[in-house]
Amino acid sequence: MHSSPDPVSIVSLETVIVDLPTIRAHKLAMATMHTQTLVILRLRCADGIEGIGEATTIGGLAYGDQSPESIRLTLDKYIAPLVTGADAASVNAVMARVDQSVQGNALAKSALETALLDAQGKRLGVPMHQLLGGAARLSLPVLWTLASGDSERDIAEARMLLEQRRHKVFKLKIGKRDPREDVAHVARIKAALGDAAELTVDVNQAWSEATAARCIPALEAAGVMLVEQPIARDNRRGMARLAQRFDVPMMADEAVHTPSDMFDYARDEAADVVALKIAKSGGPLGVLRTAAVADAAGIGCYGGTLLEGTIGSIASAHAFAACKRLEWGTELFGPLLLKDDVVVRRATVTDFALALPAGPGLGVEIDEDKLAHYSRDR
Ligand code: MUC
Ligand code: MG
């Protein structure tokens, strides 16, 4: 007879907001970043095990409808009282309890689900991906985003990263400038790098459907291999028309968060590829549910980021490693955009890929001095 193990209760949740400088200005359609703000979650359990998680967005409220401050408030005031005393090992039960009383707030939920899985992996002595069914791959290709705002600088940056064998696929952030200037910028970079590099573009919803229809042929002619979220997240029918009209694959990002968003996109044939993000889907288990719908519909999966630091990026990496198909690689370069981080060993990319840490849980350890140093409460 099997006896079920004693429950391990959740004792406390602690949140820390850290502001970290970036290595250069990162210019996106909706925000220019000089720093990145991470919300770090520490979940302490009765058996002495601590799980860690991260919730990070881009540009305050510029990218999504949760800010670092609101994520922290949601975790401290609403989620902590709900989960304190619950069995930490029953990850799905804890998340179901939270879903019952907290609508939306996928980023806060993602930090919680990550911390629960980290704790459970440490408890069982297995890496997080094993709790997700095991890794289909132990290393993940990682692209780099060129977003200095200057073509020549972007070309020099790409050449250096190619030379270092760090990245060979580059995503260009466009949508901020006049569309003609953006298209010329993309064409200039592709012409300079030639076949040594593949290019994608992310418009971050900045174009109207008419502007997209006008610019995409020029992007195709320049050799762009993927166009990400060219138009507003709400304009699903517009995305379907663009996907139908052009050969270059259309990727949905801001438009697809949950499995049901993915289902609607699949039904309307509104995307060829989806940018999966643990932050949008409420955690590593959540993102695999979205991936399953994409997979069922033949929509390609891409491992996306909200420019998290090492904790959030490695949590994403465990989930993307467990995806059945990950045809479009990942963009888990967030830690490399930061001058510093709050962990002992930062994520690195070598030979164009990120290797999963082998330790239990996430396999990532907090650096207490750095966490205290960068904490906003210091
Ligand atoms: C986004 O919209 O995809 C990913 C890479 C980057 O530079 O910004 C993000 C967000
Ligand atoms: Mg995007």
Side-chain angles (χ1 to χ4, degrees):
M1 255 214 2
H2 294 285
S3 61
S4 48
D6 286 338
V8 185
S9 54
I10 297 172
V11 173
S12 67
L13 264 57
E14 183 195 345
T15 51
V16 183
I17 293 188
V18 296
D19 297 298
L20 302 172
T22 57
I23 57 171
R24 59 152 166 73
H26 199 61
K27 294 189 179 167
L28 321 177
M30 65 293 179
T32 297
M33 301 166 60
H34 299 279
T35 56
Q36 176 59 312
T37 301
L38 326 181
V39 183
I40 305 297
L41 174 65
R42 314 184 75 158
L43 173 133
R44 299 193 175 95
C45 306
D47 55 357
I49 289 178
E50 177 183 81
I52 57 176
E54 177 184 334
T56 292
T57 186
I58 293 174
L61 287 170
Y63 185 93
D65 53 13
Q66 297 159 80
S67 67
E69 297 77 15
S70 78
I71 293 164
R72 185 182 199 184
L73 180 89
T74 302
L75 285 163
D76 290 348
K77 185 168 167 61
Y78 294 96
I79 293 183
L82 277 175
V83 304
T84 304
D87 179 13
S90 302
V91 180
N92 287 328
V94 175
M95 296 312 296
R97 182 189 285 199
V98 172
D99 281 338
Q100 219 171 23
S101 302
V102 178
Q103 299 302 314
N105 287 284
L107 275 95
K109 289 174 183 173
S110 175
L112 175 68
E113 196 178 84
T114 299
L116 287 164
L117 290 167
D118 181 42
Q120 185 62 2
K122 288 170 177 162
R123 193 168 287 123
L124 300 178
V126 298
M128 185 187 285
H129 62 77
Q130 285 193 20
L131 302 177
L132 306 173
R137 56 198 74 75
L138 286 168
S139 90
L140 302 166
V142 177
L143 66 62
W144 178 255
T145 295
L146 299 170
S148 74
D150 177 82
S151 309
E152 292 313 314
R153 196 169 162 188
D154 283 356
I155 291 165
E157 194 172 292
R159 286 198 171 125
M160 181 189 78
L161 295 168
L162 281 161
E163 174 72 28
Q164 293 173 354
R165 298 180 57 77
R166 237 183 63 186
H167 308 279
K168 56 185 171 188
V169 181
F170 299 95
K171 163 155 138 175
L172 307 190
K173 285 291 193 174
I174 58 174
K176 197 181 172 76
R177 293 180 288 199
D178 180 279
R180 273 166 307 196
E181 279 177 49
D182 271 341
V183 168
H185 167 75
V186 174
R188 217 176 295 134
I189 294 177
K190 180 63 185 159
L193 300 177
D195 293 339
E198 296 266 29
L199 293 195
T200 74
V201 297
D202 188 355
V203 194
N204 282 117
Q205 317 183 67
W207 288 346
S208 67
E209 189 181 342
T211 301
R214 184 158 50 82
C215 294
I216 290 170
L219 295 174
E220 284 185 319
V224 164
M225 73 161 180
L226 188 67
V227 175
E228 178 172 347
Q229 198 70 57
I231 61 173
R233 54 179 287 187
D234 297 339
N235 190 0
R236 186 162 72 232
R237 296 179 62 167
M239 275 289 277
R241 285 186 287 269
L242 295 173
Q244 177 94 67
R245 182 160 166 186
F246 296 107
D247 288 337
V248 64
M250 292 295 137
M251 179 154 80
D253 179 12
E254 287 91 324
V256 175
H257 292 234
T258 62
S260 59
D261 295 336
M262 190 72 261
F263 183 84
D264 290 344
Y265 257 65
R267 184 198 53 216
D268 292 352
E269 300 179 0
D272 305 289
V273 184
V274 61
L276 301 168
K277 299 184 181 180
I278 61 169
K280 292 192 294 179
S281 301
L285 289 163
V287 85
L288 291 175
R289 288 192 282 272
T290 304
V293 178
D295 209 35
I299 292 172
C301 289
Y302 171 79
T305 181
L306 276 184
L307 302 177
E308 293 95 342
T310 295
I311 297 169
S313 299
I314 294 296
S316 305
H318 282 285
F320 300 151
C323 277
K324 190 173 165 193
R325 274 188 280 270
L326 194 69
E327 194 185 342
W328 293 86
T330 82
E331 56 181 18
L332 294 177
F333 67 88
L336 304 167
L337 189 64
L338 303 176
K339 271 199 186 137
D340 203 359
D341 208 328
V342 294
V343 298
V344 174
R345 199 166 306 107
R346 300 176 65 181
T348 54
V349 174
T350 38
D351 269 328
F352 311 112
L354 171 79
L356 283 176
L362 282 171
V364 176
E365 196 189 328
I366 285 184
D367 181 319
E368 300 292 347
D369 294 338
K370 289 196 168 169
L371 189 70
H373 177 75
Y374 290 110
S375 165
R376 216 179 256 188
D377 296 337
R378 187 166 59 111

